[in-house]
């Protein structure tokens, strides 16, 4: 049993590229759900939009990666408008239903054979998607690895920029939620009609929150495409959105640092149980499981952990239980 | 305020004294005029108001038995529900079909029957939300605090002033959800005043409020009138209506059936019939008379 190995592997994953992608999606959800109360169950669609923007612009059209960032922002905005215009005037549950359906529609459309030439069909887009980004890598060419965390030179550069993005969006969210704008969207979460009666155009505010959250998630998609150098339609399943929600609730919704702490803990536990079980089986400590079961078992344990969280600490790590209780009245 | 009156209350009473107490009567200076407002839910006509005018600067009560359509009428006028037909003007401006948030911006602010304090926000944040034309409420300006900090200071001053008046200044930093039912009513009223409205529409301000707090609420509503704001409110509590209103409009089955000063209205046979049933005294004459006297107290 190599505890040191388990710990370094787990830590590497807890703050690694996948965690960064999910944290960005969760920051977007925090704006939408945590602050504005919009039940968006299709966050993965915005992530996919970001990834596909990179894939299509760089690979299909052979244009600049930097242009694809602009395109990702535009596409995320357009998708938010498309979803929001018919649903934001209705009750919250409608948005939930429409967004989850839309995210599946998006996935099934982009992988369809009809768009194979531009979007790559079920195989997706694979190639040197992030080359322009990796060319900017300032790390020395003979860089091997950090002392503890086992990233390659290429991955480490993605991780650094990814965390800078997380920092930038966290500051943006922090600035917004402590402003009068943030006050309005929190008011909308509490009671829409009350805010309307005070002369605020609630529809516009909800749309702004949906767009902003979508754009932040699209950046997660950009990081994904650049880091993995590939865009796979079937990685954008609805469970991505639910993991992002888990991260948000774990850290505490409507808390600026909620998504970051939630994301790190989520991936630490998920990776940690995986590494531990794998080693334990190898060492013969556990003989009733096969190494191939580990992937599923860790999600089962994660689920049990989440149930415990909801029972014993429903407000998440950062939340205020008293505040949560006010809602019940 | 004109010199020949001690208070707006007297002024309102004097002006309305010359108005003929009948349904749909024109007022000398109406702030709100509604014509042919109709709202049906399937086969049920909830509101069918031919013509009604609300006098500026007065406290007008809208009363009627349960299901008379008072709240529905409120919702229609404030844009929270869509009328099947009808036109209404606010300050002479045609506002039928206008979005509710726009109506609030031009000075018609309402409260709700089920109080809508924003629970998981502090009392002061509730108040701040009431202020109009905030630069910091625009998403791009919000990122730069120096653009809105000074305005925020003015809003805070005004909010604290109102909270002191409504005896909520001890609760500034508390969550609104931790307030009692009566305090929430006070907060909602104070919040509505943050925007300096011309017309305040209160939907059952006394519902679920204890008698002691009721008195202070009555005082606050009178004070609102003294500042020149017009008040229109829906209420069940006849004592309260009698105490503070300058004019009473009675609705039954979606229509305005009577109007007039409180004393006149409560003696009105149509009103008594609406509340007690037209044949309420046909068999039990004694109890019927007793109730009539009670109603006209």
């Amino acid at each position: 049993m190599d505890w040191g190995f388990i710990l370094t592997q787990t830590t590497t994953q807890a703050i690694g590229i996948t965690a960064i992608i999910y944290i960005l999606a969760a920051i977007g959800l925090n704006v939408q759900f945590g602050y504005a109360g919009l039940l968006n169950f299709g966050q993965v669609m915005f992530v996919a939009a970001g990834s596909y923007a990179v894939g299509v612009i760089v690979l299909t059209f052979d244009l600049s990666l930097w242009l694809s960032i602009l395109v990702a922002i535009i596409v995320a905005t357009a998708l938010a408008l498309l979803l929001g215009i018919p649903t934001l005037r209705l009750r919250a549950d409608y948005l939930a239903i429409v967004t989850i359906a839309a995210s599946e529609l998006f996935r099934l459309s982009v992988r369809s054979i009809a768009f194979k030439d531009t979007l790559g069909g079920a195989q997706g887009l694979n190639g040197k998607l992030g080359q322009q980004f990796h060319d900017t890598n300032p790390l020395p060419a003979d860089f091997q690895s950090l002392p503890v965390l086992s990233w390659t030179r290429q991955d480490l550069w993605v991780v650094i920029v990814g965390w800078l993005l997380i920092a930038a969006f966290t500051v943006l969210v922090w600035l917004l939620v402590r402003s009068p704008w943030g006050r309005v969207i929190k008011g909308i979460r509490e009671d829409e009609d009350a805010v309307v009666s005070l002369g605020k155009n609630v529809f516009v505010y909800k749309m702004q929150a949906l767009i902003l959250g979508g754009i932040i998630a699209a950046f997660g998609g950009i990081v994904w495409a650049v880091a993995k150098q590939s865009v796979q339609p079937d990685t954008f399943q609805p469970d991505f959105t639910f993991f992002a929600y888990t991260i948000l609730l774990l850290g505490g919704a409507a808390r600026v640092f909620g998504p970051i702490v939630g994301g790190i803990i989520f991936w630490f536990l998920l990776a940690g149980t995986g590494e531990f079980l794998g080693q334990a089986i190898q060492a013969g400590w556990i003989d009733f499981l096969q190494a191939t079961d580990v992937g599923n078992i860790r999600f089962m344990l994660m689920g049990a952990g989440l149930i415990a969280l909801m029972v014993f600490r429903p407000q998440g790590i950062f939340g205020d239980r008293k505040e949560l209780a006010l809602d019940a009245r | 305020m004109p010199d020949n009156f001690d208070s707006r209350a007297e002024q309102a009473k004097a002006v309305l004294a010359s108005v003929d107490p009948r349904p749909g009567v024109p007022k000398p200076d109406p702030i709100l005029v509604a014509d042919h407002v109709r709202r049906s839910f399937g086969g049920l006509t909830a509101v069918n108001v031919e013509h009604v005018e609300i006098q500026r600067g007065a406290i007008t009560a809208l009363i009627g038995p349960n299901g008379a359509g008072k709240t529905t009428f409120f919702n229609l006028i404030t844009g929270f529900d869509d009328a099947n037909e009808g036109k209404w003007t606010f300050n002479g401006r045609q506002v039928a079909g206008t979005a509710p948030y726009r109506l609030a911006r031009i000075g018609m602010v309402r409260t709700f029957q089920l109080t809508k304090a924003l629970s998981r926000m502090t009392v002061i944040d509730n108040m701040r939300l009431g202020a109009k034309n905030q630069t910091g409420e625009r998403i791009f300006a919000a990122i730069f605090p120096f653009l809105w900090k000074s305005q925020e200071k003015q809003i805070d001053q005004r909010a604290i002033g109102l909270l002191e008046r409504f005896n909520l200044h001890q609760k500034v930093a508390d969550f609104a959800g931790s307030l009692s039912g009566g305090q929430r009513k006070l907060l909602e009223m104070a919040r509505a005043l943050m925007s300096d409205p011309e017309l305040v529409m209160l939907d059952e301000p006394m519902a679920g409020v204890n008698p002691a707090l009721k008195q202070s609420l009555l005082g606050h509503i009178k004070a609102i009138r003294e500042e020149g704001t017009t008040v229109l409110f829906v209420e069940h509590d006849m004592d309260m209506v009698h105490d503070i209103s300058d004019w009473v409009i009675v609705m039954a089955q979606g229509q305005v059936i009577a109007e007039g000063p409180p004393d006149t209205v409560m003696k009105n046979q149509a009103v008594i019939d609406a509340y007690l049933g037209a044949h309420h005294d046909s068999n039990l004459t004694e109890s019927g008379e007793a109730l009539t006297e009670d109603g006209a107290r």
Side-chain angles (χ1 to χ4, degrees):
Chain A
M1 200 76 168
D2 186 350
W3 289 103
F5 180 76
I6 293 181
L7 198 65
T8 52
Q9 279 301 305
T10 304
T11 311
T12 307
Q13 290 197 49
I15 55 175
I17 293 166
T18 312
I20 289 168
I21 296 164
Y22 277 85
I23 289 171
L24 285 169
I27 292 173
L29 274 184
N30 201 21
V31 174
Q32 296 165 342
F33 172 73
Y35 291 104
L38 300 174
L39 213 48
N40 170 19
F41 275 139
Q43 189 71 328
V44 68
M45 178 177 70
F46 294 103
V47 179
S51 285
Y52 268 97
V54 174
V56 171
I57 294 296
V58 175
L59 217 61
T60 313
F61 295 116
D62 201 18
L63 294 167
S64 155
L65 175 66
W66 316 117
L67 175 71
S68 74
I69 294 174
L70 187 69
V71 172
I73 293 171
I74 293 168
V75 172
T77 308
L79 285 172
L81 287 169
L82 202 64
L83 276 184
I85 288 170
T87 54
L88 286 182
R89 290 181 204 276
L90 302 169
R91 277 202 339 262
D93 1 4
Y94 292 100
L95 184 70
I97 297 164
V98 170
T99 47
I100 194 167
S103 78
E104 277 295 86
L105 261 175
F106 187 87
R107 181 177 68 86
L108 294 170
S109 306
V110 294
R111 80 193 291 282
S112 77
I113 205 89
F115 307 118
K116 199 171 187 328
D117 293 341
T118 31
L119 303 176
Q123 276 77 48
L125 298 159
N126 308 285
K128 292 193 176 280
L129 291 179
Q131 199 51 51
Q132 279 169 285
F133 172 80
H134 296 299
D135 287 345
T136 64
N137 197 333
L139 297 165
D142 59 350
F143 175 89
Q144 288 302 313
S145 167
L146 289 177
V148 183
L149 305 166
S150 52
W151 286 304
T152 63
R153 177 175 178 268
Q154 188 170 314
D155 282 354
L156 180 60
W157 179 224
V158 177
V159 167
I160 290 168
V161 174
W163 278 100
L164 287 175
L165 278 174
I166 290 174
F169 283 124
T170 302
V171 169
L172 178 68
V173 171
W174 177 74
L175 282 170
L176 280 174
V177 298
R178 59 197 283 280
S179 75
W181 184 85
R183 195 155 67 215
V184 176
I185 63 163
K186 280 182 256 180
I188 292 170
R189 175 191 71 197
E190 297 300 303
D191 194 317
E192 215 177 299
D193 281 349
V195 179
V196 169
S197 80
L198 297 172
K200 320 292 177 197
N201 189 349
V202 163
F203 178 74
V204 166
Y205 284 98
K206 290 205 283 191
M207 190 59 94
Q208 287 172 344
L210 190 65
I211 292 172
L212 179 63
I215 289 174
I216 298 174
F219 271 88
I222 295 170
V223 172
W224 200 339
V226 167
K228 307 270 159 80
Q229 304 258 43
S230 135
V231 182
Q232 296 290 326
D234 289 331
T235 50
F236 305 112
Q237 302 270 0
D239 57 5
F240 180 99
T241 305
F242 295 116
F243 287 159
Y245 263 101
T246 306
I247 285 167
L248 179 61
L249 297 177
L250 191 64
R255 290 290 181 273
V256 172
F257 289 106
I260 298 178
V261 173
I264 292 174
I265 293 175
F266 180 88
W267 286 103
F268 189 89
L269 292 178
L270 199 63
T273 46
E275 294 292 340
F276 172 78
L277 285 173
Q279 294 254 337
I281 290 168
Q282 230 174 26
W285 291 10
I286 301 173
D287 52 8
F288 54 90
L289 289 176
Q290 306 290 313
T292 47
D293 295 334
V294 170
N296 292 326
I297 295 282
R298 59 182 191 150
F299 280 111
M300 289 162 73
L301 289 174
M302 198 72 200
L306 279 172
I307 293 171
L309 178 82
M310 287 299 113
V311 172
F312 297 109
R313 201 174 166 83
Q315 70 274 37
I317 307 287
F318 276 128
D320 177 349
R321 187 154 202 169
K322 271 188 281 179
E323 188 181 333
L324 198 75
L326 287 174
D327 207 28
R329 259 177 291 175
Chain B
M1 194 186 308
D3 299 332
N4 50 338
F5 292 110
D6 289 341
S7 70
R8 299 232 184 217
E10 284 181 25
Q11 186 190 356
K13 282 213 164 55
V15 171
L16 287 166
S18 59
V19 176
D20 187 19
R22 61 179 165 83
V25 66
K27 312 280 184 324
D29 181 16
I31 188 167
L32 185 75
V33 180
D35 276 303
H36 309 291
V37 179
R38 191 175 64 80
R39 175 71 167 110
S40 310
F41 299 103
L44 176 82
T45 303
V47 168
N48 190 5
V49 171
E50 272 307 303
H51 183 83
V52 75
E53 297 185 5
I54 309 297
Q55 171 69 16
R56 188 189 308 276
I59 299 179
T60 304
L62 183 61
I63 66 168
N66 284 324
K70 307 179 295 287
T71 296
T72 310
F73 184 63
F74 241 57
N75 288 344
L76 294 175
I77 295 299
T78 52
F80 278 81
D81 190 7
D82 298 322
N84 297 97
E85 56 179 290
K87 293 211 175 305
W88 55 96
T89 61
F90 176 67
N91 270 334
R93 182 170 159 185
Q94 192 56 246
V95 290
T98 306
Y101 74 90
R102 286 189 194 278
L103 289 172
R105 283 183 191 173
I106 61 171
M108 187 201 284
V109 172
R110 70 169 297 180
T111 67
F112 295 86
Q113 194 172 342
L114 297 168
T115 323
K116 291 190 186 296
L118 305 164
S119 303
R120 286 183 294 173
M121 292 172 73
T122 58
V123 167
I124 188 77
D125 269 351
N126 265 269
M127 293 296 286
R128 286 167 177 157
L129 206 49
K132 285 197 287 196
N133 301 325
Q134 297 188 46
T135 312
E137 287 183 352
R138 292 200 294 266
I139 189 164
F140 292 111
I143 307 168
F144 307 104
F146 61 87
L147 291 176
W148 46 265
K149 269 285 186 252
S150 63
Q151 190 188 20
E152 188 86 343
K153 280 211 183 83
Q154 289 168 5
I155 291 169
D156 278 0
Q157 266 177 3
R158 189 173 155 67
I160 298 289
L162 276 167
L163 287 173
E164 273 170 4
R165 194 173 128 192
F166 281 80
N167 276 324
L168 287 169
H169 53 289
Q170 312 274 340
K171 304 276 184 186
V172 167
D174 291 10
F175 282 121
S178 69
L179 300 181
S180 73
Q183 286 171 328
R184 286 184 206 188
K185 290 266 181 206
L186 287 172
L187 175 61
E188 204 184 19
M189 207 182 286
R191 191 176 65 193
L193 294 180
M194 277 299 287
S195 66
D196 257 329
E198 280 188 64
L199 171 64
V200 177
M201 299 177 68
L202 308 170
D203 196 352
E204 297 203 21
M206 298 295 159
V209 174
N210 73 55
L213 198 56
K214 237 175 222 181
Q215 281 309 314
S216 90
L217 263 171
L218 288 178
H220 290 312
I221 296 173
K222 287 179 186 168
I224 294 173
R225 172 184 54 194
E226 288 312 313
E227 285 163 8
T229 306
T230 309
V231 179
L232 173 66
F233 70 100
V234 168
E235 192 49 69
H236 277 302
D237 185 334
M238 283 303 190
D239 289 337
M240 177 203 164
V241 169
H242 199 251
D243 184 0
I244 66 166
S245 48
D246 304 313
W247 192 260
V248 179
I249 296 170
V250 189
M251 282 182 76
Q253 292 173 330
Q255 296 173 333
V256 174
I257 58 161
E259 270 192 57
D263 287 326
T264 320
V265 158
M266 287 176 192
K267 288 187 195 121
N268 186 314
Q269 193 57 42
V271 177
I272 297 162
D273 289 350
Y275 268 91
L276 302 172
H279 303 292
H280 67 90
D281 54 357
S282 50
N283 290 333
L284 303 161
T285 317
E286 278 178 26
S287 70
E289 275 170 1
L291 282 165
T292 311
E293 274 172 28
D294 187 51
R297 232 178 326 192

